[in-house]
Amino acid sequence: MIDVDADVLGAAAELLDAGATVSTMEIDAPVAGRALVVVVDDRTAHGGVDSLGPLVTELLTEAGFLVDASVSVQADEVEIRNALNTAVIGGVDLVISVGGTGMSPRDVTPEATSQVLDRELPGISEALRSSGRVAGSLDAGLSRGVAGVSGSTLVVNLPGTRSAVRDGMATLGPLASRVIGELSGLVE
């Protein structure tokens, strides 16, 4: 038997007396998996406003993922690698890193990510760059982001702009679902 709060019962009775229809809501949407967001940005890591973490979290949630957290780290190989390894050890299905994929000396996300991966999936990185170029972003062709698998976790680097995140997440959605399905044994 389920215990129901008396206040909830009272509120439901008032709604029924007022002629309202009360029904239960069932959510049939499957959960795509657990995810973690790593924002690579020196300013955000030092307490600055994070505009990308919430955006990625929102897009992942819309795609059916349960987002464990969004963490910010400096553009430092060790910090990035530690954040990615922590996510993998924590058993998330997908890690999205945002930022640090360009050409400046501080852009070291691809190098740190490559050290964490068991296998690269260059097709995902190529698809992300290609879709960005089709969307009109010249910078998409300059991203050095990588994607691959570490244990049973898909790890993907996205450039650190709002447009790159939006476009990248639209492209990544079906690919991530396929990879996660295969890694979990749901897709053969």
Side-chain angles (χ1 to χ4, degrees):
M1 178 166 188
I2 299 173
D3 290 328
V4 179
D5 186 337
D7 292 334
V8 173
L9 282 176
E14 287 177 26
L15 286 173
L16 289 172
D17 289 341
T21 303
V22 178
S23 62
T24 60
M25 183 174 86
E26 293 183 23
I27 300 174
D28 292 326
V31 173
R34 288 179 43 228
L36 185 112
V37 179
V38 177
V39 177
V40 180
D41 182 72
D42 291 333
R43 281 172 281 199
T44 303
H46 288 106
V49 176
D50 177 11
S51 65
L52 295 175
L55 175 60
V56 177
T57 299
E58 176 185 334
L59 296 171
L60 283 168
T61 301
E62 287 175 5
F65 283 90
L66 297 174
V67 180
D68 285 3
S70 175
V71 298
S72 298
V73 297
Q74 295 184 76
D76 174 80
E77 273 190 68
V78 173
E79 283 195 37
I80 298 165
R81 190 175 58 244
N82 287 344
L84 297 175
N85 276 326
T86 299
V88 170
I89 291 167
V92 298
D93 300 296
L94 174 63
V95 179
I96 303 286
S97 71
V98 182
T101 64
M103 300 167 291
S104 83
R106 299 278 304 154
D107 291 331
V108 294
T109 301
E111 289 78 10
T113 303
S114 292
Q115 294 173 23
V116 172
L117 298 178
D118 297 325
R119 294 171 291 186
E120 283 199 29
L121 297 172
I124 291 177
S125 303
E126 292 165 11
L128 293 170
R129 282 188 277 278
S130 177
S131 68
R133 291 283 295 137
V134 169
S137 171
L138 179 62
D139 292 339
L142 302 176
S143 172
R144 298 181 313 108
V146 298
V149 175
S150 179
S152 61
T153 301
L154 175 60
V155 182
V156 179
N157 301 153
L158 293 178
T161 66
R162 292 182 70 78
S163 61
V165 166
R166 286 191 184 282
D167 180 66
M169 290 300 297
T171 301
L172 181 61
L175 297 170
S177 294
R178 176 64 186 248
V179 171
I180 291 167
E182 286 190 27
L183 291 173
S184 66
L186 297 176
V187 176
E188 295 187 23

